[in-house]
Structures are given as structure tokens and as C-alpha cells.
Amino acid sequence: GSVGGDSIRRIRDGLTLEDGPTAPAVLTIIESGAEQSIVELTIHQGRNRQVRRMLDHLGHPVIMLERMSFGGITAGKMKPGDYRELTSNEVKMLKKMINYK
């Protein structure tokens, strides 16, 4: 359905799911219709099926989910099932994020 102001506010404030509270997230509506909406959701933690559970909690079950980036690494124009080697800068960035020497 249409994702409205209350859902946006609750996502931005953080929700309490069965395994505890979520950190505040950023929800941007890309397209909204009476039967379905397309949204972009930015989270800063990655618990099991978190995006699906957050939206389901608000009565908006996820039909399709596409991860756009992870840890600063973006998918770009890759198709589902594609993969690529990380650049040396991406590896350095990931190691820095986890304090790997």
C-alpha cells in the first residue's frame, strides 16, 4: 500500500522489533501508489531480515528487495547473480571499518 507519514516517522525514529529496538533509519519514497510503493531505506545495522521485518511491522510487506550498497560498496549496474572483485581501495576501507591491521 501507500507508505505514509506515520510509517516514515516511525522508521526515522526507530522501531522496536521482537529482538529489540532498531536504530533510526532514513526512508525516502521513490514512488507511492494505492496498492504499492517503492521506497529507499538506509539502515546502519544489519540484523537478520531487518528491512523486511521493519516494513512488515508497519503493515507494508516487502514484495521485492534490492541491496544497493553495503559498507560503502555499491552494486552499480550489476545484475542479480553478478559479482566482481573488490578494488584495493574497497578492501582497505573495509579493513579500516573493522580495525583490521
Side-chain angles (χ1 to χ4, degrees):
S2 181
V3 177
D6 185 56
S7 293
I8 295 169
R9 181 191 55 77
R10 291 178 67 193
I11 291 276
R12 288 180 178 164
D13 290 346
L15 300 170
T16 300
L17 302 176
E18 63 277 357
D19 59 345
T22 66
V26 177
L27 186 131
T28 304
I29 299 190
I30 306 298
E31 186 177 313
S32 185
E35 299 205 12
Q36 68 181 22
S37 298
I38 298 173
V39 300
E40 180 178 296
L41 184 61
T42 304
I43 61 173
H44 300 282
Q45 46 185 182
R47 298 193 329 232
N48 187 38
R49 300 174 54 85
Q50 181 176 341
V51 169
R52 291 184 187 276
R53 293 186 301 126
M54 288 171 71
L55 290 168
D56 191 50
H57 181 80
L58 298 173
H60 301 291
V62 174
I63 297 168
M64 187 181 101
L65 180 64
E66 181 178 342
R67 184 184 303 253
M68 302 304 292
S69 71
F70 178 82
I73 299 171
T74 61
K77 295 186 179 198
M78 294 174 64
K79 297 175 185 161
D82 284 352
Y83 65 93
R84 66 174 177 82
E85 289 190 27
L86 297 177
T87 67
S88 59
N89 285 337
E90 289 170 333
V91 172
K92 287 177 189 174
M93 179 187 61
L94 290 172
K95 285 181 177 180
K96 185 176 180 180
M97 287 172 59
I98 62 169
N99 295 317
Y100 183 83
K101 303 289 178 188

